[in-house]
Amino acid sequence: MGDNLESLGSETASGMESCMKEELCMEIDPPFRENVATAEDWRKALNKVVPAVVVLRTTGCRAFDTEAAGASYATGFVVDKRRGVILTNRHVVKPGPVVAEAMFVNREEIPVHPIYRDPVHDFGFFRYDPDAIQFLSYEEIPLAPEAACVGLEIRVVGNDSGEKVSILAGTLARLDRDAPQYKNIKPKKPVHKQPRKRRRRRKNKRTKEERDGYNDFNTFYMQAASGTKGGSSGSPVIDWQGRAVALNAGSKSSSASAFFLPLERVVRALKFLQKGWDSFGNKWEAVNIPRGTLQVTFLHKGFDETRRLGLQSETEQMVRHASPIAETGMLVVDSVVPGGPAHKHLEPGDVLVRVNGEVLTQFLKLETLLDDSVDKRINLQIERGGTSLTVELVVQDLHSITPNYFLEVSGAVIHPLSYQQARNFRFNCGLVYVAEPGYMLYRAGVPRHAIIKKFAGEEISALDELILVLSKLSRGARVPLEYISYTDRHRSKSVLVTVDRHEWYAAPQIYTRDDSSGLWTARPALAPGSLFLSSSINCDILTSGTVASTIAEAGVVEQIPQKHSKECADGFNGVETSCEHVNEVPHSGEDSNVETKKRRVEENSSENGATTSDCLMQEANEEKLEDPRTLENIGLRPYQVAVASNASVAERVIEPTLVMFEVHVPSSCMVDGVHSQHFFGTGVIVYHSQHMGLAAVDRNTVAISVSDVMLSFAAFPVEIPGEVIFLHPIHNYALVAYDPSALGAAGASAVRAAELLPEPALRRGDSVYLVGLSRSLQATSRKSIVTNPCAALNIGSADCPRYKATNMEVIELDTDFGSTFSGVLTDERGRIQAIWGSFSTQLKYGSSTSEDHQFVRGLPIYAISQVLDKIINGTKGPVLLINGVKRPMPLVRILEAELYPTLLSKARSFGLSDEWVQDLVRKDPIRRQVLRVKGCLAGSKAEQVLEQGDMLLAINKEPITCFRDIEYACEELDKYGDNGGILNMTIFRQGKEIELVVGTDIRDGNGTTRMVNWCGCIIQDPHSAVRALGFLPEEGHGVYVARWCHGSPVQRYGLYALQWIVDVNGKPTPDLEAFVDVVKGLEHGEFVRVKTVHLNGKPRVLTLKQDLHYWPTWELRFDPDTAMWRRQTIKALDCSLA
């Protein structure tokens, strides 16, 4: 089969009766002339057929109905050369937006456009311009459904397993097989990327989670022993005369069986299309092909089964006499869609006897009658448990329950529930169906395939009602949404939806199918003056009742793994911790696109139990502080005393300062290699005034500034948004601002800032209290001992380069709450000495498999207090709007080189002199180490001066032994600022002591503030983690491809992530500005030549076709004057021109 659709490994029929039926149906017709065709006959037939078979490269641009977005290969064949019509499968044409090209056997490639896809059966048509084929002589393949018979020798000609032309032989064994049951259509993970517990081979069985894909029904299929595989969907099944007798549709790999669709209904649809083309003056316009339905699924069951269902003997005898001799059964109702014409009239198990007085036992006759009776009444005679009944039903127009439009909002695709999915899920057609949750709904926890029932307190039964509610909401509004899912259909679920505060996505649009052009045209979904389109932000919570917190309902979120990963070497592994021992944290050096997963914040089963025992072991002086008057003096509220009466003083003091972060990253903005869309973590309030609040948290919780941050306070039950204002380029922390007025008067008085204690620094053996929040926002603490106050981190690069803490010394404890618990380290009076934060790395399994991993360590508070003081007191730097007040933000001067410590004993072995060893020991008798260069960031001022392996001995003749010494030297440069940011260094290189002048770099705390989406890939300037690999293309920095989207041109043509684009059509693109200037001049449908350089240094040139209709070029940029992310269209296609 072609594309993402795969056949099911086992049949739905079960039991001995089904097996007997299959055996009884294996009747061999008398031999015909076709069965004795010679090899020469087949050679002539194939010579005529092969030129008319094309390879289809299709791309579903949006998820829609039963299909996911994505690119695939399939097969089609020309059935009308004069009019330019290609026949293939419905799941190739796709029910939603599709872009496709057909390649003929001589490698001529032409665009094709869909003109029809059947709502039920697995066939559809593309059209093309016959005049575009200039160099190939070919003829159309005639359709001959009447030629199919059991025992007929056939050939399947198509693009099997990706081959350009493949010819498979077989023999028709059955003409009355039940329609195959396909698996659901979901992007698949590579085996090595699946969770380790799920690597068992799946059995070929169909579970309820797999019933959400396309399946054909109400038709027979043919079966042959011809093991077709991926790419052969839509292949012609031909006889020796070169006639197509069936259409290849699916296969069963376990038995090498192929399933073919009969062509009777295909011939009918083709005639309607041909008549329409002729009537419109030899041009394509939308053609109405009548299709009728009762919203009933029938199965053909043998007479033995119908007797068990209660069929009377007299009825069976009558049916046998009125039917052909070969007839072996009757049609039986299998399912009825709720709300359809047959609902409450027909039931599963009803045996169909007559329609309009005529005995009817075949699907083809039933469909012919329904298609000719649209909007008319028909009479059905059935038998139910031996009782004869007559019902009158109105035949419904099948196209009226087949959606031809959808709403796209915040990346979500929402449309009326189709007949296909209504049949799968047993819901009424036309309900508001989520084909793709996008960002806004995903953030709220709304799954794919959900049915929206209520929104903002309004009943939702149609898509227009949802759009009307959307138009009344403003940015930042939070409203309840009620939905049901087919996996739990009897209970509705309520979630809280937050309207996007920033312009992560384009304004809501309605896409409508245009069968005359083959495109889906877009128009604004909301009126120009609607609140949703306003740039103002409203953070009020609009609820009609109590809405449960979404934190407690969070589930595992996984990203689609990207393809075409390459390997590259990575220098350093592990985490060096001190001069006395090294604790290694394994990671992967493989450089590939990583399957990203939600950071799991698991509730440690020992949290509550272990904490209780620790809290009982308080010292005498702590017990004395439990007097309520004393507690009031240190800032605790009376109600907090009651809640925390059994906790330590440190816990009770620090609890009002703790805050739980929930962070969501829009999928359209996943820059800087961020490895997930959803993060949790505990932070602490470090500043709280009437006009501004600041909270600090680790960068494994707030990874990038392009994110939505929600803060839940331990001191007061409220959840408010925050804005990322500072990301430290080296240290593992971020600062997030919030508006204290959003807390209300009671909340603002309950919340307070923690007292920071940067000095004295922690020493080995000191007692500290580890305090954090559980998932239920309950403070948890334990007393611990510092085992190593200066453990040096050395984390290796991830598969997909992302932020990693470098040049840091962290604090290690003897006991903690596990690798997912974050918080703060305090003294006995609750003064913060360190942030207990989460660090991200990767574990490597085998030679190619890696998995995201996290660990926790303490970050000394001095690193935060220095930046905090500059923000509060003012500094020189770029201005940022925070809560309506413009404040200068600090800049950080750093040495852009990754360093690691080496023991002096080893440094001596490299030739370091005894004099220097003694000087370094005198400077720092505890660490007894020297810093070495692991590598310099590409493009930094230190890159051309320092070399890998250099030992840094002194700055300005002062010995240096730790990262803090270098930070202090950089800070001194900013204080005096008279030497151009130059450090006079003494280094040791290859046995020689050398004096060097090394430049430093200035970095802000904004992170990436601009990105461009071109042809479906996210492009940015190379971020620091990429530059830390130490390599930039020779052509210049280039622009970096961070992510790509399914169903986009870059997926279709293979422009994946983890590479630089260095020129487009021969024009250099050293930075984003140059890149934007180049792509502005590219037109819709134009083939573009792109030169790329992979992270492993391998250059490549590829071509892709720009699609401005579905994938306009746009950029997202942070505006510091308004503190908003603004989206601007760079180039798009006017729908009127399409």
Side-chain angles (χ1 to χ4, degrees), residues 473-514:
L473 302 179
S474 60
R475 290 193 174 274
R478 309 188 73 195
V479 295
L481 180 145
E482 229 177 79
Y483 72 91
I484 55 175
S485 171
Y486 73 97
T487 58
D488 191 9
R489 58 188 302 110
H490 302 295
R491 291 185 298 178
S492 62
K493 298 178 177 63
S494 182
V495 296
L496 197 61
V497 173
T498 304
V499 179
D500 293 345
R501 303 176 69 243
H502 299 275
E503 298 176 4
W504 308 131
Y505 294 86
Q509 297 185 94
I510 292 287
Y511 281 83
T512 306
R513 191 180 73 212
D514 181 4

Side-chain angles (χ1 to χ4, degrees), residues 59-62 97-101 519 1013-1016 1047-1050 1052-1053 1082-1088 1104-1113 1131-1133 1138:
T59 305
C61 302
R62 301 290 191 276
V98 63
V99 173
E101 294 89 24
L519 297 173
N1013 189 298
W1014 176 67
C1015 290
S1048 64
V1050 297
R1052 183 160 75 248
Y1053 294 98
L1082 303 177
E1083 299 301 328
H1084 172 69
E1086 178 181 350
F1087 272 95
V1088 183
L1104 63 82
K1105 187 178 182 180
Q1106 182 166 250
D1107 178 8
L1108 294 176
H1109 184 81
Y1110 296 115
W1111 299 95
T1113 304
K1131 189 158 190 176
L1133 182 66

Side-chain angles (χ1 to χ4, degrees), residues 51 55 82 140 225 252 364 390 394 452 487 513-514 520 537 541 548 611 667 698 721 792 821 845 887 1000 1052 1118:
V55 176
R82 183 170 68 89
E140 63 190 48
K252 183 165 68 174
L364 183 58
T390 300
V394 177
I452 297 176
T487 58
R513 191 180 73 212
D514 181 4
W520 291 63
I537 296 178
I541 301 178
T611 303
S667 57
D698 60 74
F821 184 87
Y845 300 100
R887 299 175 182 270
T1000 57
R1052 183 160 75 248
F1118 182 73

Side-chain angles (χ1 to χ4, degrees), residues 199-214:
R199 292 185 191 171
R200 298 189 304 272
R201 185 178 180 85
R202 293 191 62 189
K203 296 181 179 178
N204 288 325
K205 66 180 180 180
R206 188 166 180 245
T207 64
K208 66 178 181 180
E209 288 80 7
E210 294 175 333
R211 296 180 186 142
D212 52 17
Y214 167 74

Side-chain angles (χ1 to χ4, degrees), residues 303-317:
F303 285 116
D304 55 336
E305 295 182 61
T306 58
R307 280 194 297 271
R308 289 193 290 272
L309 290 171
L311 183 69
Q312 300 178 27
S313 300
E314 297 81 3
T315 306
E316 179 182 344
Q317 184 177 5

Side-chain angles (χ1 to χ4, degrees), residues 885-920:
V885 179
K886 291 187 176 182
R887 299 175 182 270
M889 299 302 293
L891 298 173
V892 180
R893 183 178 295 277
I894 58 175
L895 176 67
E896 284 205 320
E898 191 171 348
L899 310 174
Y900 65 98
T902 295
L903 297 176
L904 289 177
S905 57
K906 292 187 177 295
R908 190 191 296 272
S909 301
F910 280 98
L912 187 63
S913 66
D914 291 342
E915 182 181 355
W916 271 111
V917 169
Q918 293 172 9
D919 288 346
L920 295 174

